[in-house]
Amino acid sequence: MSNVTIKALKDGPLLVQGEMELLDSEGNPFKLTNESVALCRCGGSSNKPFCDGTHSRAGFQSTVSAGE
Ligand code: FES
């Protein structure tokens, strides 16, 4: 079982928590300062892959459910 959880926040980013390694497209690791990061899901962040709060100003809406 993975020690990482990923939660799709309502109208917001993917919240990733746990011991992880986040790599760029070249395979280089981002320097993470803690075990929790918010990854942009709206496409509007100026600091991709991280969420910078733009989703709120842009009115991004998305609610996903693992249930039926
Ligand atoms: S989800 Fe927050 S800026 Fe995209």
Side-chain angles (χ1 to χ4, degrees):
M1 181 83 173
S2 171
N3 290 326
V4 174
T5 60
I6 305 171
K7 183 176 183 180
L9 299 183
K10 183 179 185 310
D11 303 334
L14 296 174
L15 182 62
V16 186
Q17 295 179 299
E19 188 175 333
M20 73 188 91
E21 188 173 36
L22 179 61
L23 307 176
D24 67 13
S25 60
E26 303 293 320
N28 301 307
F30 287 91
K31 289 185 173 60
L32 302 177
T33 57
N34 59 45
E35 292 189 351
S36 178
V37 296
L39 299 178
C40 178
R41 190 162 69 99
C42 75
S45 175
S46 297
N47 189 31
K48 293 182 186 78
F50 305 103
C51 170
D52 68 356
T54 297
H55 63 270
S56 293
R57 294 185 295 279
F60 176 69
Q61 293 184 330
S62 174
T63 302
V64 295
S65 173
E68 296 176 23

